[in-house]
Amino acid sequence: MSFGYQLMKNGKLVMAPDFLPYCLNQVIDVAPAEGKVVRTSIPNGKPCVVFFRTTSYVANASLYFIQRQGSAGYWELEFHYGMAFVDARVYIFSDTLPNIPDIGFFLYRNGSIVWHGNCLPLSVRPYSDLGGETVFSYPLAVPSSVCNFTSVGNTIEHWDRWFVFMAGPTSSGQYNVGRALFSQFNASGPPTTSGFDIPMNSYIETSVYDTYYKQSLGI
């Protein structure tokens, strides 16, 4: 762009009317129930990016959700749980602008508001999973993802194990990001496949969203 507002950070463009991050649209606290379907506020056809974290420590807990466009016209999340149930919080981002204020800071493009002062931008950081857990002093959230499948054993029997990415509090009051066992099955015969592993993922730091989402979303 040749004129107008531009926000730079460390010499890089991070915001302009033609270059905008997704913003927080919804925060939902989800009580565990197998197969539970949660409807979001994001209409079908709009971008919908979701991160989650557990909100309490439960030993061996794991979960993932299926994200889909729902029959009622809005994106849905279908939750499934592994070795133990646990409460979770989901953070939902899109290019839809919630809670547009009457006065304040606005960005316009072609006469329409594309950003305002109540928006909380999506800020994603890369995470390299090395098979263990990384401990932090602040809460984080990750996308829902199956990250590893192994089939190990011998000619007599084998174990199939599925792992998912997780984020949440530890038993010592800190927070971690890593993989958790979701399910395992014992079967007769040799291993079925060599499996797969996804070592890279991403995360968001949630302290700002947890503190200000009600003010941002007007709830």
Side-chain angles (χ1 to χ4, degrees), residues 12 103 167:
K12 296 182 179 180
I103 58 175

Side-chain angles (χ1 to χ4, degrees), residues 24 27 53 89 91 120 139 205-214:
L24 184 69
V27 174
R53 67 178 179 91
R89 169 170 284 189
Y91 305 82
L120 290 176
E205 298 177 7
T206 67
S207 296
V208 170
Y209 305 124
D210 294 328
T211 302
Y212 296 108
Y213 79 90
K214 290 185 178 180

Side-chain angles (χ1 to χ4, degrees), residues 46-68:
K46 299 291 288 183
C48 185
V49 178
V50 184
F51 289 76
F52 83 97
R53 67 178 179 91
T54 61
T55 54
S56 59
Y57 172 76
V58 176
N60 302 317
S62 58
L63 70 91
Y64 80 94
F65 53 81
I66 299 170
Q67 185 175 328
R68 64 180 180 232

Side-chain angles (χ1 to χ4, degrees), residues 9 21-22 51 93 120-125 203-205 209:
K9 183 177 181 180
Y22 290 165
F51 289 76
F93 299 84
L120 290 176
L122 172 61
S123 179
V124 181
R125 300 190 177 189
Y203 69 88
I204 59 173
E205 298 177 7
Y209 305 124

Side-chain angles (χ1 to χ4, degrees), residues 1-7 13-21 107-112 114-115:
M1 60 182 293
S2 58
F3 63 92
Y5 174 87
Q6 291 180 317
L7 177 62
L13 178 67
V14 296
M15 183 180 295
D18 294 321
F19 187 85
L20 293 166
L107 282 181
Y108 288 83
R109 182 174 62 235
N110 298 327
S112 298
V114 294
W115 195 263

Side-chain angles (χ1 to χ4, degrees), residues 8-43:
M8 309 291 291
K9 183 177 181 180
N10 298 325
K12 296 182 179 180
L13 178 67
V14 296
M15 183 180 295
D18 294 321
F19 187 85
L20 293 166
Y22 290 165
C23 67
L24 184 69
N25 271 242
Q26 198 172 13
V27 174
I28 306 175
D29 291 317
V30 181
E34 175 59 29
K36 185 174 188 174
V37 176
V38 175
R39 183 187 300 172
T40 77
S41 63
I42 309 302

